[in-house]
Amino acid sequence: MDLTFSLLKILRLAVIFLVIPLFGFAQHLNKPVTLSAKGQPVSRVLKTLEEQGHFYFSYNSDLIPGDSIVQVNLAGKPVSEVLNQLFRSKYQYKEKGDYIIILAAPKERTFYIDGFVTDQENNIPVDFASIYSRQLLASTLSEDDGHFRLRIRDKNFPVNITISKVGYADTTVIVQNLEETRLKISLYQKAVDLDPLIVRYSEGESTWLGRLFVSAKLRAQSRNISKFFVSLPYQASLTPGLGTHGRMSSQVVNRFSLNLLGGYTAGVNGLEIAGGFNISKQDVRYVQVAGIFNIVSGHVNGVQLAGLHNEVLDSLKGVQVSGFSGFVEKKTSGVQISGFMNRSAGPLDGVQVSGALNFAKETSGGGQIAGGYNQARKDFDGFQVSSGINIVGAKLSGMQLGFVNYAKELHGIQLGIVNIADSSSGVSLGLINIIRKSTSNLTVSASEVAPFNVSWKMGTHKFYGILTGGVSTGGSHSTYVFGAGIGREFFPFKKWGFFTEITSGNIFQGSWENMRSLFRLETAATYKLNKRLLVFAGPSYSICQNQASLKREGYKSFPIENYPNIRLGDKLGSWFGWQVGMSWRYGQL
């Protein structure tokens, strides 16, 4: 018990001895004092502070001239603040017991390396050459007269300095001490074949947005040192070139990048956020967010969000969301969403969704959804949905749903008001279907419903749409019949064949409000007179409304009498009839 009590006592004493110095740290410098001095010497003012604070000053009289006249007026301020105002923050202060020691402020560790860059062959100045330190990430550019001034933050010698410019061989010099900080450097001209990657990395800065927001000096430096890149944990910038990495920001790949107005970096391997814009020379992984726009010269693997515009000059694998437009110059594997327009200049393996326009080179899956217009320049194996126009410039193996659909080579389905294709082995289902290389035809025929009918059959023999109209003279007034349908032709023999058609239409007898509905199933044997002309004849089966309210005096009566009929109820009548006619094929056979 006594042993336990003794241990606890020792621990308490140890804690007290450890904590007391912490509370006593800088106790004199933090004491509030009131001082009013006008035209008094420094020694007198310091003596007044000593009396109020109950401490003593210690300083070198050569450092602080005691007879210097000063003026100060402060009330209830800490001693440290009074000293900073009194000496204009020229000194540093340390406490030791009851003494405040006044010392000289630490000397600035920054120094400058300056000099001139000239062409070795003709001794003329070389402007826009990059002078930089790979280790310290410090850089500058030579001026019109070849002069440069490079700021180095730390006097740790030796310092390796590299000088680079497109068209010249890189030159490296070693600065050993302060006496060697004035340099005269000659560059040797060298023919350079630009690496394709170097060209790619300069494309982002060469876009009109890049030229607008990245200065000519930053673009020049980026081209000069295009082969040098380094990875660092983070960076922050206000604008391109004004940040933690200065003008070397375009050569740094960051895990986290924060750009208040805008940033120009080598790339991102984590998260990049900007209030205005991000411009990246290499690849972006994971997440990139900007209030206005993002431009990436390399690949994007992750999520890219922008309030206005996203542009990837290589490929996208992930999601791109833009308030106005999103561009990918090569392959898109994922989703593009924009308020107005998406473009994938390479293959699309995913989905494009926009308020107005989508453009893609080709697709191996996925589709396009737009408020107005979708376009694929090459083969498209997916779906296009729009309220306006869908276009596929090559083979369509999927589906188009829109007001107007066009495919050069249709192997899928078109659903729309107007469907157009150069050739088709698929299905076009719409009001007007135009297939250039097809068996489309114009038909003149007669039937028991109307002795004179004209039909437009659009599509291929495997599937075609029908628009038809006819007139009947039975009764004192003419009866008009019009409608639409679908059909298919079969040719088991060279000249002989048959077709089957289903149509739905209306019978007009003087009133648009009280028209009968007419449904017909028709089949007929066909015979080819030549490549363009054929004749046909065959039976039909019709179903028609039979309400008493639809009957009108002086018009032909329906269901038609004297034909075999099947009673379907009080409101429907049906009968078996006939048709005969001739067709002219106008398509490219």
Side-chain angles (χ1 to χ4, degrees):
M1 185 72 176
D2 294 338
L3 180 61
T4 303
F5 179 80
S6 298
L7 288 173
L8 290 174
K9 189 175 181 180
I10 293 171
L11 288 173
R12 289 193 188 103
L13 290 172
V15 170
I16 290 171
F17 284 119
L18 288 172
V19 171
I20 286 176
L22 295 178
F23 283 104
F25 178 74
Q27 56 181 343
H28 296 307
L29 286 171
N30 291 330
K31 282 183 178 180
V33 294
T34 298
L35 181 64
S36 179
K38 185 175 182 181
Q40 295 184 12
V42 169
S43 58
R44 178 71 178 273
V45 173
L46 293 179
K47 188 66 176 178
T48 303
L49 288 176
E50 289 177 342
E51 292 173 354
Q52 287 193 39
H54 304 291
F55 56 79
Y56 303 98
F57 284 109
S58 175
Y59 57 89
N60 189 332
S61 59
D62 293 334
L63 181 67
I64 300 176
D67 55 353
S68 297
I69 303 302
V70 295
Q71 180 175 325
V72 65
N73 187 11
L74 292 172
K77 298 297 183 180
V79 172
S80 59
E81 185 173 336
V82 174
L83 292 173
N84 283 331
Q85 181 165 333
L86 185 65
F87 296 122
R88 308 293 183 185
S89 301
K90 293 181 180 179
Y91 306 102
Q92 59 178 329
Y93 314 103
K94 292 184 179 181
E95 289 191 30
K96 190 171 183 180
D98 288 336
Y99 286 89
I100 295 178
I101 304 171
I102 303 176
L103 301 170
K107 293 183 179 179
E108 177 63 50
R109 303 180 69 186
T110 299
F111 69 99
Y112 291 89
I113 298 174
D114 63 359
F116 291 86
V117 182
T118 58
D119 186 300
Q120 190 274 339
E121 184 175 343
N122 48 37
N123 200 34
I124 62 173
V126 176
D127 61 352
F128 283 91
S130 294
I131 300 92
Y132 65 100
S133 168
R134 295 172 181 263
Q135 293 77 21
L136 303 177
L137 288 182
S139 67
T140 188
L141 287 171
S142 60
E143 299 172 358
D144 293 342
D145 60 355
H147 179 261
F148 69 88
R149 184 175 171 84
L150 177 63
R151 182 175 182 265
I152 303 295
R153 296 179 181 177
D154 201 342
K155 292 182 181 178
N156 288 331
F157 292 99
V159 178
N160 292 346
I161 304 299
T162 302
I163 301 89
S164 299
K165 181 172 181 175
V166 175
Y168 290 87
D170 287 357
T171 300
T172 300
V173 297
I174 302 175
V175 178
Q176 299 286 358
N177 50 58
L178 287 175
E179 282 88 28
E180 299 179 3
T181 55
R182 290 194 61 82
L183 306 174
K184 186 173 182 180
I185 301 162
S186 297
L187 297 183
Y188 295 83
Q189 293 187 16
K190 178 182 178 182
V192 178
D193 293 328
L194 291 180
D195 190 301
L197 290 178
I198 297 173
V199 175
R200 188 190 78 177
Y201 294 154
S202 67
E203 287 176 346
E205 66 195 33
S206 298
T207 62
W208 72 273
L209 284 173
R211 294 193 303 271
L212 181 63
F213 289 96
V214 179
S215 68
K217 288 186 175 181
L218 284 178
R219 297 199 304 271
Q221 176 158 287
S222 175
R223 291 189 295 270
N224 289 340
I225 55 178
S226 55
K227 291 184 179 181
F228 169 67
F229 294 100
V230 64
S231 296
L232 291 176
Y234 66 90
Q235 78 94 28
S237 69
L238 178 62
T239 61
L242 185 58
T244 54
H245 303 325
R247 292 180 177 176
M248 295 294 285
S249 63
S250 61
Q251 311 309 121
V252 181
V253 178
N254 305 282
R255 290 188 179 275
F256 175 73
S257 177
L258 176 62
N259 305 307
L260 297 182
L261 297 179
Y264 178 40
T265 65
V268 183
N269 191 20
L271 171 64
E272 184 170 47
I273 302 174
F277 62 88
N278 296 307
I279 300 177
S280 300
K281 290 177 58 177
Q282 289 188 315
D283 303 332
V284 168
R285 293 181 63 191
Y286 306 126
V287 181
Q288 187 180 55
V289 183
I292 302 176
F293 69 85
N294 294 306
I295 295 180
V296 178
S297 296
H299 308 276
V300 171
N301 187 352
V303 179
Q304 191 180 46
L305 307 173
L308 184 67
H309 175 69
N310 284 309
E311 188 167 355
V312 180
L313 301 183
D314 206 285
S315 59
L316 167 70
K317 186 176 182 180
V319 179
Q320 185 184 66
V321 181
S322 314
F324 183 78
S325 57
F327 293 170
V328 177
E329 296 303 321
K330 294 185 179 180
K331 184 177 181 180
T332 301
S333 300
V335 180
Q336 280 185 300
I337 302 173
S338 73
F340 182 74
M341 177 175 66
N342 290 312
R343 186 186 73 185
S344 178
L348 170 66
D349 184 9
V351 178
Q352 290 178 318
V353 182
S354 75
L357 309 173
N358 286 317
F359 299 91
K361 181 179 181 180
E362 58 186 318
T363 180
S364 56
Q368 297 175 312
I369 303 172
Y373 181 85
N374 290 314
Q375 183 187 62
R377 291 188 289 117
K378 293 189 177 182
D379 295 348
F380 195 89
D381 183 9
F383 61 88
Q384 288 182 319
V385 180
S386 78
S387 60
I389 300 173
N390 296 312
I391 293 178
V392 173
K395 181 172 69 174
L396 170 64
S397 300
M399 183 191 74
Q400 289 178 319
L401 175 61
F403 187 86
V404 177
N405 299 310
Y406 169 80
K408 186 172 184 179
E409 186 179 341
L410 178 62
H411 293 267
I413 300 174
Q414 290 179 319
L415 300 174
I417 304 301
V418 179
N419 298 310
I420 304 170
D422 287 359
S423 63
S424 174
S425 61
V427 175
S428 296
L429 187 59
L431 184 63
I432 298 175
N433 304 297
I434 300 174
I435 313 296
R436 190 168 65 88
K437 299 177 182 179
S438 69
T439 55
S440 301
N441 57 70
L442 295 174
T443 297
V444 177
S445 64
S447 70
E448 83 285 359
V449 174
F452 179 76
N453 298 281
V454 176
S455 299
W456 183 16
K457 300 181 180 181
M458 303 161 288
T460 66
H461 69 276
K462 291 183 178 181
F463 184 89
Y464 55 87
I466 305 169
L467 290 178
T468 183
V471 59
S472 174
T473 56
S476 58
H477 300 290
S478 296
T479 296
Y480 298 94
V481 181
F482 55 90
I486 57 174
R488 175 168 179 150
E489 292 181 329
F490 302 88
F491 280 96
F493 307 105
K494 185 175 181 179
K495 287 186 173 293
W496 289 94
F498 66 95
F499 66 75
T500 301
E501 297 174 350
I502 299 174
T503 59
S504 172
N506 295 97
I507 301 172
F508 176 77
Q509 293 181 319
S511 173
W512 293 104
E513 295 180 358
N514 297 308
M515 291 190 296
R516 299 173 187 268
S517 296
L518 176 66
F519 303 92
R520 282 175 66 85
L521 172 64
E522 300 173 329
T523 186
T526 60
Y527 178 75
K528 292 182 180 179
L529 298 176
N530 55 42
K531 285 185 176 182
R532 297 288 181 182
L533 293 176
L534 60 82
V535 293
F536 61 88
S540 67
Y541 175 67
S542 301
I543 299 175
C544 181
Q545 288 179 290
N546 190 29
Q547 295 100 310
S549 61
L550 298 177
K551 295 181 180 180
R552 299 177 63 82
E553 294 294 330
Y555 289 93
K556 187 173 184 176
S557 62
F558 292 92
I560 299 178
E561 300 175 354
N562 303 322
Y563 282 89
N565 63 80
I566 299 174
R567 183 177 178 82
L568 300 177
D570 296 336
K571 295 184 178 181
L572 291 177
S574 67
W575 67 93
F576 289 95
W578 55 271
Q579 62 167 331
V580 62
M582 175 180 290
S583 294
W584 173 65
R585 299 194 185 281
Y586 65 84
Q588 183 176 340
L589 304 178

